[in-house]
Amino acid sequence: MEGISQGLMLQLTPPREPRGMVLRAELSCQGGALHDFPVLVVQAPSGFGKTSLMLQWRKALQGAGVAAGWLAAQEQDHPARLVCALTLALRMASGRPDFGRASLAFDGGTAIEHLTVLLGEVAHLARDTALLIDEAERLPRASRRLLTYLLRQAPPNLRVLVAARTDCIPGVNELIAYDQCRRIDAEALRFDLDDALRQTRLRLWEQADPDLAARLLTLSEGWPLGFQLGLSSLERGVAACPPQVDSGRLLDGLHHQFETLVLATLSAEDRAFLVRVSVLEKLHPALCEAMTGDAQAGRRLAWMLERTPIFMGMDGTDWARMHGALRPALRAEFRALPGDERRAIHGRAADWLAAAGIFDEAARHALKAGRPQQGYALAERGFHDALW
């Protein structure tokens, strides 16, 4: 298409669909629980299959005759460029070379005014349309506000489907409250046993042992990218042995692969933080700050919780837990720290947990801090509270 830069064209071109994608019925945007929502927001850390789900939605929408435009958001998408990109995405999806001409030719005015003209053109299309915006967290702040306007003012024949790592779009909670939007989070995207078995049989062999799928599911804790990584490793192993062989032994090296995939890109400061909090069974921002002595530890935890699969939230509270596949390596690094530092970390954890009334955990840390008298007293207090 003339006049479109190569960079923008790449943003408007969906990536290739991953091999072996299986759409779960409960996540279908056509039919089922998500069918009637004009706005769908997929919000989860890296590796939870957001882009794969968006590609599946695009395919389903196109199959239903919907003109579905695609945009992979970028940092340079300032408001005016974003409106231009959305216009061209819909032009390509609709197959009408003159679509959006009024918006692009609109002289002067703000980005919101240009977007308003575009939405008017969409309303006059004689077909259903959709915009799929991937990686929305990359958008500049002003463009995120413009996206909020789009979500609120979209005409009845336009659905907007957005994927992002973080809660980056103002006003989404209000749309959810008015039943105009549904958010799909990491827990909804996490694989269950049925998903694991279906993926295993699709990638390996039809009669794959359910125990193999269950073991891989446990190792990955349902993290879709981790599970697919495990399947890829198993595929290489299965190629060298018949399906009758117990391929469970091939899972032994996956811990190292998970560590490499998740931890290798972290900064030295992030890695040091993870090593020191890896001794906790459950993490709280204030607890992390207390035991590390870092006033920014709570923010670091929140950042990792939003953007990585390292931590998982617990029941809508401020508490989180670390992915089980990562703890062994990080705890091994913790054991390599100087003894005085390890005891000090355990001691600070014990003091915070005791003040919070979590006596059993406090007792465990007090004993590891070399404070047996405090540890036994806390254990007795926890036993007493459990009985009474």
Side-chain angles (χ1 to χ4, degrees):
M1 188 180 297
E2 294 184 5
I4 302 180
S5 68
Q6 185 176 6
L8 182 54
M9 180 61 76
L10 289 175
Q11 287 183 249
L12 304 177
T13 304
R16 182 178 300 174
E17 293 185 9
R19 183 168 62 93
M21 284 200 314
V22 178
L23 179 61
R24 287 177 279 179
E26 68 273 15
L27 295 179
S28 172
C29 67
Q30 292 294 101
L34 303 180
H35 179 73
D36 294 326
F37 287 93
V39 178
L40 296 176
V41 175
V42 191
Q43 182 184 320
S46 175
F48 274 87
K50 299 183 297 298
T51 299
S52 295
L53 181 59
M54 294 278 280
L55 290 171
Q56 291 171 323
W57 282 350
R58 177 176 177 270
K59 186 175 182 179
L61 290 165
Q62 289 179 321
V66 177
W70 179 276
L71 175 65
Q74 297 290 339
E75 291 83 354
Q76 66 266 28
D77 290 332
H78 53 78
R81 190 178 192 274
L82 177 60
V83 175
C84 178
L86 296 175
T87 303
L88 295 174
L90 288 172
R91 176 182 291 184
M92 293 173 62
S94 66
R96 298 186 178 185
D98 61 339
F99 176 81
R101 183 170 297 172
S103 173
L104 296 177
F106 182 59
D107 189 21
T110 64
I112 284 184
E113 290 173 322
H114 280 262
L115 181 56
T116 302
V117 174
L118 172 62
L119 295 178
E121 292 188 79
V122 172
H124 284 89
L125 277 176
R127 63 185 301 187
D128 289 334
T129 57
L131 279 169
L132 296 97
I133 304 171
D134 197 19
E135 299 183 300
E137 76 280 354
R138 294 189 174 191
L139 291 172
R141 188 179 301 275
S143 295
R144 296 179 190 180
R145 292 194 293 268
L146 188 67
L147 183 54
T148 300
Y149 179 82
L150 169 64
L151 300 183
R152 289 174 173 170
Q153 303 300 325
N157 64 325
L158 175 63
R159 293 183 78 182
V160 186
L161 304 91
V162 183
R165 292 186 181 185
T166 62
D167 185 9
C168 62
I169 308 171
V172 165
N173 290 335
E174 180 182 347
L175 291 172
I176 293 174
Y178 283 97
D179 212 27
Q180 296 297 303
C181 173
R182 174 67 63 87
R183 179 187 284 120
I184 296 91
D185 60 13
E187 288 307 308
L189 297 173
R190 201 178 297 279
F191 283 176
D192 60 20
L193 185 57
D194 288 339
D195 301 321
L197 186 57
R198 185 165 58 247
Q199 291 283 340
T200 303
R201 288 177 172 172
L202 181 67
R203 293 278 299 273
L204 300 182
W205 63 89
E206 182 58 33
Q207 301 302 320
D209 184 0
D211 182 61
L212 178 63
R215 289 182 62 188
L216 183 53
L217 180 69
T218 300
L219 178 61
S220 64
E221 297 192 4
W223 178 39
L225 180 58
F227 190 89
Q228 296 293 348
L229 175 68
L231 284 182
S232 297
S233 178
L234 289 171
E235 276 187 306
R236 292 191 294 271
V238 168
C241 64
Q244 291 78 10
V245 173
D246 179 12
S247 299
R249 63 184 176 81
L250 299 174
L251 297 172
D252 293 341
L254 290 184
H255 276 290
H256 177 68
Q257 294 188 47
F258 283 154
E259 295 158 18
T260 301
L261 179 66
V262 178
L263 301 179
T265 59
L266 295 177
S267 68
E269 293 79 9
D270 287 339
R271 182 83 177 220
F273 166 76
L274 291 176
V275 168
R276 284 155 181 77
V277 301
S278 65
V279 295
L280 296 171
E281 295 301 323
K282 299 177 183 178
L283 299 93
H284 187 279
L287 172 57
C288 292
E289 291 175 6
M291 70 181 300
T292 63
D294 179 6
Q296 300 301 314
R299 292 185 179 181
R300 197 181 299 272
L301 173 63
W303 183 88
M304 291 186 179
L305 187 61
E306 281 191 340
R307 294 177 176 265
T308 75
I310 296 173
F311 296 109
M312 288 160 280
M314 299 181 65
D315 301 326
T317 68
D318 291 332
W319 290 87
R321 66 182 183 86
M322 184 180 290
H323 196 295
L326 304 176
R327 281 197 297 264
L330 293 170
R331 288 182 176 179
E333 291 186 37
F334 180 84
R335 291 191 294 272
L337 295 175
D340 289 345
E341 183 178 359
R342 295 200 310 272
R343 287 187 289 273
I345 290 172
H346 281 299
R348 290 192 292 267
D351 293 340
W352 191 94
L353 290 164
I358 308 174
F359 299 114
D360 289 343
E361 275 296 294
R364 183 174 68 85
H365 285 284
L367 292 172
K368 292 189 175 183
R371 305 176 187 173
Q373 187 172 359
Q374 180 191 21
Y376 296 141
L378 288 169
E380 182 178 355
R381 177 76 179 274
F383 180 72
H384 179 273
D385 286 359
L387 288 179
W388 301 102

